[in-house]
Amino acid sequence: MVLNTQQIMEMLPHRYPFLLVDSILEIEEGKRIVGAKNVTINEPFFQGHFPGHPIMPGVLIIEAMAQVGGVFAMMTDKVGTDKVTYFAGIDNARFRKPVVPGDVLRMELELVNCKRGLYCFKGKAFVGETLVAEADLKATFADR
């Protein structure tokens, strides 16, 4: 493990219940990053999505991938903690399989491009070896 939850919280402004990455498992500076989220029945979104049939909302899987991308930018490009991340675009989002309590969501993001502070990632989320979601993500940073 490269970073634990405490170290991630030193970089990202997100806190419970919206911190959606528990650990950073790998990082290749300037290329890619891998993060993980342990999905538990205690997640607050499971109360309403869906009672008796809990499924992690796809939009939160995308958000979890974006948070991993934010850690990448802060670690590799030294984006300061005085910045906040903004989504600039989400393209080609696909949800392949449901993510349920007990799953470990592994998010792999590959940096496709970074020009003028706009980060473009190809993101994939897995449970085990099964692809559960993917999307092309664009993000930028601004002063808090």
Side-chain angles (χ1 to χ4, degrees):
M1 180 170 29
V2 177
L3 295 176
N4 62 31
T5 306
Q6 276 305 125
Q7 293 165 313
I8 292 166
M9 287 178 18
E10 290 172 11
M11 291 185 206
L12 297 180
H14 306 80
R15 295 294 179 267
Y16 177 84
F18 217 69
L19 180 63
L20 298 173
V21 57
D22 294 321
S23 60
I24 299 299
L25 306 173
E26 300 174 35
I27 188 160
E28 288 181 56
E29 195 163 324
K31 293 184 180 181
R32 69 187 289 270
I33 188 167
V34 179
K37 162 79 176 140
N38 299 307
V39 181
T40 74
I41 193 61
N42 296 320
E43 308 290 347
F45 50 79
F46 284 136
Q47 288 181 346
H49 200 270
F50 298 101
H53 187 69
I55 297 173
M56 184 174 183
V59 69
L60 294 182
I61 296 170
I62 299 292
E63 173 64 26
M65 285 194 282
Q67 290 180 18
V68 171
V71 171
F72 176 91
M74 296 217 169
M75 288 184 73
T76 64
D77 288 345
K78 311 298 186 258
V79 172
T81 55
D82 60 332
K83 303 288 185 190
V84 64
T85 310
Y86 289 116
F87 262 128
I90 303 167
D91 297 314
N92 304 313
R94 298 288 180 265
F95 305 99
R96 310 265 181 220
K97 300 272 185 188
V99 175
V100 299
D103 286 345
V104 176
L105 187 63
R106 188 181 79 252
M107 296 148 291
E108 299 181 3
L109 278 78
E110 178 183 337
L111 183 66
V112 174
N113 199 333
C114 182
K115 290 183 182 173
R116 296 186 304 267
L118 181 67
Y119 290 79
C120 300
F121 292 101
K122 181 165 284 301
K124 293 184 178 182
F126 297 86
V127 172
E129 296 302 313
T130 303
L131 178 67
V132 296
E134 58 189 318
D136 298 329
L137 307 173
K138 294 178 182 155
T140 191
F141 291 85
D143 293 330
R144 285 186 195 242

Short mmCIF file of all heavy atoms in Angstrom, two decimals, residues 21-72:
data_model
loop_
_atom_site.label_atom_id
_atom_site.label_comp_id
_atom_site.label_asym_id
_atom_site.label_seq_id
_atom_site.Cartn_x
_atom_site.Cartn_y
_atom_site.Cartn_z
N VAL A 21 -12.44 6.77 -1.10
CA VAL A 21 -11.23 5.99 -1.37
C VAL A 21 -10.55 5.71 -0.03
O VAL A 21 -10.37 6.60 0.77
CB VAL A 21 -10.30 6.70 -2.40
CG1 VAL A 21 -9.90 8.07 -1.95
CG2 VAL A 21 -9.09 5.86 -2.70
N ASP A 22 -10.24 4.44 0.21
CA ASP A 22 -9.64 4.03 1.48
C ASP A 22 -8.14 3.88 1.41
O ASP A 22 -7.46 4.04 2.42
CB ASP A 22 -10.24 2.69 1.94
CG ASP A 22 -11.71 2.80 2.27
OD1 ASP A 22 -12.11 3.83 2.85
OD2 ASP A 22 -12.45 1.86 1.95
N SER A 23 -7.62 3.54 0.23
CA SER A 23 -6.18 3.34 0.11
C SER A 23 -5.73 3.54 -1.33
O SER A 23 -6.51 3.37 -2.26
CB SER A 23 -5.77 1.94 0.60
OG SER A 23 -6.43 0.95 -0.17
N ILE A 24 -4.47 3.92 -1.46
CA ILE A 24 -3.82 3.97 -2.77
C ILE A 24 -2.87 2.78 -2.78
O ILE A 24 -2.00 2.65 -1.91
CB ILE A 24 -3.08 5.30 -3.00
CG1 ILE A 24 -4.06 6.47 -2.95
CG2 ILE A 24 -2.30 5.26 -4.32
CD1 ILE A 24 -5.16 6.45 -4.02
N LEU A 25 -3.05 1.92 -3.77
CA LEU A 25 -2.29 0.67 -3.83
C LEU A 25 -1.04 0.77 -4.69
O LEU A 25 -0.04 0.12 -4.41
CB LEU A 25 -3.19 -0.45 -4.36
CG LEU A 25 -4.50 -0.65 -3.60
CD1 LEU A 25 -5.38 -1.66 -4.31
CD2 LEU A 25 -4.23 -1.07 -2.17
N GLU A 26 -1.13 1.55 -5.76
CA GLU A 26 0.00 1.69 -6.69
C GLU A 26 -0.03 3.09 -7.27
O GLU A 26 -1.09 3.68 -7.43
CB GLU A 26 -0.12 0.74 -7.88
CG GLU A 26 -0.15 -0.72 -7.58
CD GLU A 26 -0.42 -1.54 -8.85
OE1 GLU A 26 0.05 -1.15 -9.94
OE2 GLU A 26 -1.11 -2.56 -8.73
N ILE A 27 1.16 3.58 -7.64
CA ILE A 27 1.23 4.82 -8.41
C ILE A 27 2.47 4.76 -9.29
O ILE A 27 3.54 4.35 -8.83
CB ILE A 27 1.22 6.08 -7.51
CG1 ILE A 27 1.10 7.32 -8.37
CG2 ILE A 27 2.41 6.13 -6.61
CD1 ILE A 27 0.61 8.55 -7.64
N GLU A 28 2.28 5.09 -10.55
CA GLU A 28 3.38 5.26 -11.48
C GLU A 28 3.36 6.73 -11.86
O GLU A 28 2.45 7.18 -12.56
CB GLU A 28 3.18 4.41 -12.74
CG GLU A 28 3.37 2.94 -12.54
CD GLU A 28 3.17 2.18 -13.85
OE1 GLU A 28 3.86 2.51 -14.84
OE2 GLU A 28 2.30 1.30 -13.86
N GLU A 29 4.33 7.47 -11.35
CA GLU A 29 4.34 8.91 -11.51
C GLU A 29 4.20 9.30 -12.98
O GLU A 29 4.92 8.81 -13.84
CB GLU A 29 5.62 9.51 -10.92
CG GLU A 29 5.53 10.99 -10.74
CD GLU A 29 6.59 11.54 -9.82
OE1 GLU A 29 6.94 10.86 -8.85
OE2 GLU A 29 7.03 12.66 -10.09
N GLY A 30 3.23 10.17 -13.23
CA GLY A 30 2.99 10.66 -14.58
C GLY A 30 2.24 9.70 -15.48
O GLY A 30 1.97 10.02 -16.64
N LYS A 31 1.84 8.51 -14.95
CA LYS A 31 1.20 7.51 -15.81
C LYS A 31 -0.13 6.99 -15.29
O LYS A 31 -1.14 7.08 -15.96
CB LYS A 31 2.14 6.32 -16.04
CG LYS A 31 3.35 6.65 -16.85
CD LYS A 31 4.17 5.42 -17.12
CE LYS A 31 5.40 5.81 -17.94
NZ LYS A 31 6.22 4.67 -18.24
N ARG A 32 -0.11 6.40 -14.09
CA ARG A 32 -1.32 5.73 -13.59
C ARG A 32 -1.33 5.65 -12.08
O ARG A 32 -0.31 5.82 -11.43
CB ARG A 32 -1.48 4.34 -14.21
CG ARG A 32 -0.45 3.34 -13.75
CD ARG A 32 -0.51 2.01 -14.50
NE ARG A 32 -1.65 1.22 -14.18
CZ ARG A 32 -1.70 0.31 -13.21
NH1 ARG A 32 -0.66 0.09 -12.45
NH2 ARG A 32 -2.79 -0.40 -13.00
N ILE A 33 -2.52 5.35 -11.56
CA ILE A 33 -2.71 5.19 -10.12
C ILE A 33 -3.80 4.14 -9.89
O ILE A 33 -4.71 3.99 -10.71
CB ILE A 33 -3.09 6.54 -9.45
CG1 ILE A 33 -3.10 6.42 -7.92
CG2 ILE A 33 -4.40 7.08 -9.99
CD1 ILE A 33 -3.15 7.75 -7.20
N VAL A 34 -3.68 3.42 -8.80
CA VAL A 34 -4.67 2.41 -8.41
C VAL A 34 -5.08 2.68 -6.97
O VAL A 34 -4.22 2.80 -6.09
CB VAL A 34 -4.10 0.98 -8.55
CG1 VAL A 34 -5.14 -0.06 -8.12
CG2 VAL A 34 -3.61 0.71 -9.97
N GLY A 35 -6.38 2.79 -6.75
CA GLY A 35 -6.92 3.00 -5.41
C GLY A 35 -8.00 1.99 -5.09
O GLY A 35 -8.49 1.29 -5.98
N ALA A 36 -8.38 1.92 -3.82
CA ALA A 36 -9.38 0.95 -3.39
C ALA A 36 -10.39 1.57 -2.44
O ALA A 36 -10.06 2.47 -1.66
CB ALA A 36 -8.72 -0.25 -2.73
N LYS A 37 -11.61 1.06 -2.51
CA LYS A 37 -12.70 1.42 -1.60
C LYS A 37 -13.31 0.14 -1.08
O LYS A 37 -13.74 -0.71 -1.88
CB LYS A 37 -13.75 2.24 -2.37
CG LYS A 37 -15.11 2.32 -1.69
CD LYS A 37 -15.13 3.33 -0.60
CE LYS A 37 -16.53 3.47 0.00
NZ LYS A 37 -16.44 3.61 1.44
N ASN A 38 -13.31 -0.02 0.24
CA ASN A 38 -13.98 -1.17 0.85
C ASN A 38 -15.45 -0.82 1.02
O ASN A 38 -15.79 0.07 1.80
CB ASN A 38 -13.35 -1.50 2.20
CG ASN A 38 -11.89 -1.86 2.06
OD1 ASN A 38 -11.54 -2.72 1.28
ND2 ASN A 38 -11.04 -1.18 2.80
N VAL A 39 -16.31 -1.50 0.30
CA VAL A 39 -17.74 -1.19 0.32
C VAL A 39 -18.39 -1.99 1.44
O VAL A 39 -18.34 -3.22 1.43
CB VAL A 39 -18.39 -1.52 -1.05
CG1 VAL A 39 -19.86 -1.18 -1.05
CG2 VAL A 39 -17.65 -0.80 -2.17
N THR A 40 -18.99 -1.29 2.41
CA THR A 40 -19.62 -1.98 3.54
C THR A 40 -21.11 -1.65 3.60
O THR A 40 -21.56 -0.65 3.05
CB THR A 40 -18.98 -1.57 4.89
OG1 THR A 40 -19.41 -0.25 5.22
CG2 THR A 40 -17.46 -1.62 4.83
N ILE A 41 -21.85 -2.48 4.29
CA ILE A 41 -23.29 -2.27 4.45
C ILE A 41 -23.56 -0.99 5.24
O ILE A 41 -24.66 -0.44 5.20
CB ILE A 41 -23.98 -3.48 5.11
CG1 ILE A 41 -25.50 -3.39 4.99
CG2 ILE A 41 -23.54 -3.64 6.55
CD1 ILE A 41 -26.05 -3.37 3.59
N ASN A 42 -22.56 -0.47 5.95
CA ASN A 42 -22.73 0.74 6.75
C ASN A 42 -22.71 2.02 5.93
O ASN A 42 -22.89 3.11 6.49
CB ASN A 42 -21.63 0.81 7.83
CG ASN A 42 -21.75 -0.32 8.81
OD1 ASN A 42 -22.85 -0.69 9.21
ND2 ASN A 42 -20.62 -0.89 9.18
N GLU A 43 -22.49 1.95 4.62
CA GLU A 43 -22.50 3.14 3.78
C GLU A 43 -23.88 3.79 3.86
O GLU A 43 -24.90 3.10 3.71
CB GLU A 43 -22.18 2.80 2.32
CG GLU A 43 -20.92 1.97 2.11
CD GLU A 43 -19.63 2.70 2.38
OE1 GLU A 43 -19.62 3.93 2.51
OE2 GLU A 43 -18.59 2.02 2.47
N PRO A 44 -23.96 5.09 4.07
CA PRO A 44 -25.27 5.74 4.24
C PRO A 44 -26.16 5.66 3.00
O PRO A 44 -27.38 5.64 3.14
CB PRO A 44 -24.92 7.19 4.59
CG PRO A 44 -23.52 7.38 4.17
CD PRO A 44 -22.85 6.04 4.23
N PHE A 45 -25.60 5.56 1.83
CA PHE A 45 -26.41 5.52 0.61
C PHE A 45 -27.19 4.23 0.47
O PHE A 45 -28.19 4.18 -0.25
CB PHE A 45 -25.57 5.80 -0.65
CG PHE A 45 -24.32 4.98 -0.77
CD1 PHE A 45 -24.36 3.67 -1.21
CD2 PHE A 45 -23.10 5.54 -0.46
CE1 PHE A 45 -23.19 2.92 -1.33
CE2 PHE A 45 -21.92 4.81 -0.58
CZ PHE A 45 -21.98 3.49 -1.02
N PHE A 46 -26.78 3.16 1.17
CA PHE A 46 -27.50 1.89 1.05
C PHE A 46 -28.88 1.94 1.69
O PHE A 46 -29.74 1.12 1.38
CB PHE A 46 -26.69 0.73 1.63
CG PHE A 46 -25.56 0.28 0.75
CD1 PHE A 46 -24.32 0.01 1.28
CD2 PHE A 46 -25.73 0.12 -0.62
CE1 PHE A 46 -23.27 -0.42 0.48
CE2 PHE A 46 -24.70 -0.29 -1.44
CZ PHE A 46 -23.46 -0.57 -0.88
N GLN A 47 -29.14 2.91 2.58
CA GLN A 47 -30.47 3.01 3.18
C GLN A 47 -31.54 3.24 2.13
O GLN A 47 -32.65 2.74 2.25
CB GLN A 47 -30.50 4.16 4.19
CG GLN A 47 -29.74 3.87 5.45
CD GLN A 47 -29.82 5.04 6.42
OE1 GLN A 47 -30.22 6.15 6.08
NE2 GLN A 47 -29.44 4.77 7.66
N GLY A 48 -31.22 3.98 1.11
CA GLY A 48 -32.22 4.29 0.10
C GLY A 48 -31.93 3.74 -1.28
O GLY A 48 -32.72 3.89 -2.20
N HIS A 49 -30.79 3.07 -1.46
CA HIS A 49 -30.38 2.59 -2.79
C HIS A 49 -29.93 1.16 -2.71
O HIS A 49 -28.72 0.90 -2.75
CB HIS A 49 -29.26 3.48 -3.33
CG HIS A 49 -29.09 3.41 -4.81
ND1 HIS A 49 -28.26 2.51 -5.43
CD2 HIS A 49 -29.63 4.15 -5.79
CE1 HIS A 49 -28.28 2.71 -6.72
NE2 HIS A 49 -29.11 3.69 -6.97
N PHE A 50 -30.66 0.21 -2.65
CA PHE A 50 -32.11 0.15 -2.53
C PHE A 50 -32.44 -0.72 -1.34
O PHE A 50 -31.76 -1.71 -1.12
CB PHE A 50 -32.71 -0.47 -3.80
CG PHE A 50 -32.45 0.32 -5.04
CD1 PHE A 50 -31.45 -0.05 -5.93
CD2 PHE A 50 -33.20 1.45 -5.33
CE1 PHE A 50 -31.23 0.68 -7.08
CE2 PHE A 50 -32.98 2.17 -6.49
CZ PHE A 50 -31.99 1.79 -7.37
N PRO A 51 -33.47 -0.36 -0.54
CA PRO A 51 -33.83 -1.16 0.62
C PRO A 51 -34.08 -2.63 0.23
O PRO A 51 -34.83 -2.91 -0.70
CB PRO A 51 -35.11 -0.51 1.13
CG PRO A 51 -35.03 0.91 0.63
CD PRO A 51 -34.34 0.81 -0.70
N GLY A 52 -33.38 -3.53 0.91
CA GLY A 52 -33.53 -4.95 0.62
C GLY A 52 -32.70 -5.43 -0.55
O GLY A 52 -32.61 -6.64 -0.81
N HIS A 53 -32.11 -4.51 -1.31
CA HIS A 53 -31.29 -4.88 -2.48
C HIS A 53 -30.21 -3.80 -2.67
O HIS A 53 -30.25 -3.03 -3.62
CB HIS A 53 -32.18 -4.99 -3.74
CG HIS A 53 -31.47 -5.52 -4.94
ND1 HIS A 53 -31.05 -6.83 -5.03
CD2 HIS A 53 -31.09 -4.91 -6.08
CE1 HIS A 53 -30.45 -7.00 -6.19
NE2 HIS A 53 -30.46 -5.85 -6.85
N PRO A 54 -29.25 -3.72 -1.72
CA PRO A 54 -28.28 -2.62 -1.74
C PRO A 54 -27.32 -2.69 -2.93
O PRO A 54 -26.69 -3.72 -3.18
CB PRO A 54 -27.52 -2.79 -0.42
CG PRO A 54 -27.69 -4.23 -0.06
CD PRO A 54 -29.01 -4.66 -0.62
N ILE A 55 -27.24 -1.56 -3.66
CA ILE A 55 -26.33 -1.42 -4.80
C ILE A 55 -25.67 -0.05 -4.68
O ILE A 55 -26.35 0.96 -4.47
CB ILE A 55 -27.08 -1.52 -6.14
CG1 ILE A 55 -27.71 -2.91 -6.29
CG2 ILE A 55 -26.15 -1.23 -7.31
CD1 ILE A 55 -28.62 -3.02 -7.50
N MET A 56 -24.35 0.00 -4.84
CA MET A 56 -23.64 1.28 -4.81
C MET A 56 -24.03 2.08 -6.04
O MET A 56 -23.93 1.59 -7.16
CB MET A 56 -22.13 1.05 -4.78
CG MET A 56 -21.32 2.33 -4.64
SD MET A 56 -19.56 1.96 -4.43
CE MET A 56 -18.92 3.61 -4.20
N PRO A 57 -24.48 3.33 -5.86
CA PRO A 57 -24.87 4.15 -7.01
C PRO A 57 -23.69 4.36 -7.97
O PRO A 57 -22.56 4.63 -7.54
CB PRO A 57 -25.30 5.48 -6.38
CG PRO A 57 -25.68 5.12 -4.97
CD PRO A 57 -24.75 4.01 -4.59
N GLY A 58 -23.98 4.25 -9.26
CA GLY A 58 -22.96 4.43 -10.28
C GLY A 58 -22.26 5.78 -10.18
O GLY A 58 -21.04 5.88 -10.38
N VAL A 59 -23.01 6.82 -9.87
CA VAL A 59 -22.41 8.15 -9.76
C VAL A 59 -21.37 8.19 -8.64
O VAL A 59 -20.37 8.92 -8.75
CB VAL A 59 -23.50 9.22 -9.57
CG1 VAL A 59 -24.17 9.11 -8.23
CG2 VAL A 59 -22.95 10.61 -9.80
N LEU A 60 -21.53 7.39 -7.60
CA LEU A 60 -20.55 7.35 -6.52
C LEU A 60 -19.32 6.53 -6.92
O LEU A 60 -18.21 6.80 -6.44
CB LEU A 60 -21.17 6.84 -5.23
CG LEU A 60 -22.24 7.76 -4.64
CD1 LEU A 60 -22.78 7.19 -3.33
CD2 LEU A 60 -21.71 9.17 -4.44
N ILE A 61 -19.50 5.56 -7.79
CA ILE A 61 -18.34 4.84 -8.33
C ILE A 61 -17.49 5.81 -9.16
O ILE A 61 -16.26 5.84 -9.04
CB ILE A 61 -18.79 3.63 -9.17
CG1 ILE A 61 -19.52 2.60 -8.29
CG2 ILE A 61 -17.58 2.98 -9.87
CD1 ILE A 61 -20.22 1.49 -9.06
N ILE A 62 -18.15 6.63 -9.97
CA ILE A 62 -17.45 7.64 -10.76
C ILE A 62 -16.74 8.63 -9.83
O ILE A 62 -15.58 8.99 -10.05
CB ILE A 62 -18.42 8.39 -11.70
CG1 ILE A 62 -19.07 7.42 -12.69
CG2 ILE A 62 -17.72 9.55 -12.40
CD1 ILE A 62 -18.15 6.84 -13.72
N GLU A 63 -17.42 9.07 -8.78
CA GLU A 63 -16.82 10.00 -7.81
C GLU A 63 -15.60 9.36 -7.14
O GLU A 63 -14.58 10.03 -6.94
CB GLU A 63 -17.85 10.43 -6.76
CG GLU A 63 -17.28 11.26 -5.62
CD GLU A 63 -16.70 12.60 -6.03
OE1 GLU A 63 -17.13 13.18 -7.05
OE2 GLU A 63 -15.81 13.10 -5.31
N ALA A 64 -15.69 8.09 -6.80
CA ALA A 64 -14.56 7.40 -6.18
C ALA A 64 -13.36 7.40 -7.14
O ALA A 64 -12.22 7.66 -6.73
CB ALA A 64 -14.95 5.98 -5.78
N MET A 65 -13.61 7.13 -8.42
CA MET A 65 -12.53 7.17 -9.40
C MET A 65 -11.93 8.57 -9.47
O MET A 65 -10.71 8.74 -9.54
CB MET A 65 -13.02 6.73 -10.78
CG MET A 65 -13.25 5.24 -10.90
SD MET A 65 -13.45 4.68 -12.61
CE MET A 65 -15.12 5.17 -12.95
N ALA A 66 -12.79 9.59 -9.45
CA ALA A 66 -12.31 10.97 -9.53
C ALA A 66 -11.44 11.32 -8.32
O ALA A 66 -10.44 12.02 -8.45
CB ALA A 66 -13.49 11.92 -9.63
N GLN A 67 -11.81 10.83 -7.14
CA GLN A 67 -11.00 11.10 -5.96
C GLN A 67 -9.63 10.46 -6.08
O GLN A 67 -8.61 11.05 -5.68
CB GLN A 67 -11.74 10.63 -4.70
CG GLN A 67 -12.94 11.50 -4.37
CD GLN A 67 -13.69 11.06 -3.13
OE1 GLN A 67 -13.17 10.31 -2.29
NE2 GLN A 67 -14.92 11.53 -2.99
N VAL A 68 -9.56 9.28 -6.64
CA VAL A 68 -8.26 8.64 -6.89
C VAL A 68 -7.45 9.50 -7.86
O VAL A 68 -6.25 9.71 -7.67
CB VAL A 68 -8.45 7.20 -7.42
CG1 VAL A 68 -7.12 6.60 -7.88
CG2 VAL A 68 -9.08 6.31 -6.34
N GLY A 69 -8.11 10.03 -8.89
CA GLY A 69 -7.43 10.93 -9.82
C GLY A 69 -6.92 12.19 -9.14
O GLY A 69 -5.84 12.69 -9.45
N GLY A 70 -7.68 12.71 -8.17
CA GLY A 70 -7.24 13.87 -7.41
C GLY A 70 -5.98 13.59 -6.62
O GLY A 70 -5.07 14.42 -6.56
N VAL A 71 -5.90 12.42 -6.03
CA VAL A 71 -4.70 12.02 -5.30
C VAL A 71 -3.51 11.95 -6.27
O VAL A 71 -2.41 12.40 -5.97
CB VAL A 71 -4.89 10.68 -4.56
CG1 VAL A 71 -3.58 10.17 -4.00
CG2 VAL A 71 -5.93 10.82 -3.46
N PHE A 72 -3.75 11.40 -7.46
CA PHE A 72 -2.70 11.32 -8.48
C PHE A 72 -2.12 12.70 -8.77
O PHE A 72 -0.90 12.88 -8.76
CB PHE A 72 -3.27 10.70 -9.77
CG PHE A 72 -2.29 10.66 -10.90
CD1 PHE A 72 -1.47 9.56 -11.09
CD2 PHE A 72 -2.18 11.71 -11.79
CE1 PHE A 72 -0.56 9.51 -12.14
CE2 PHE A 72 -1.29 11.68 -12.86
CZ PHE A 72 -0.47 10.57 -13.02
#
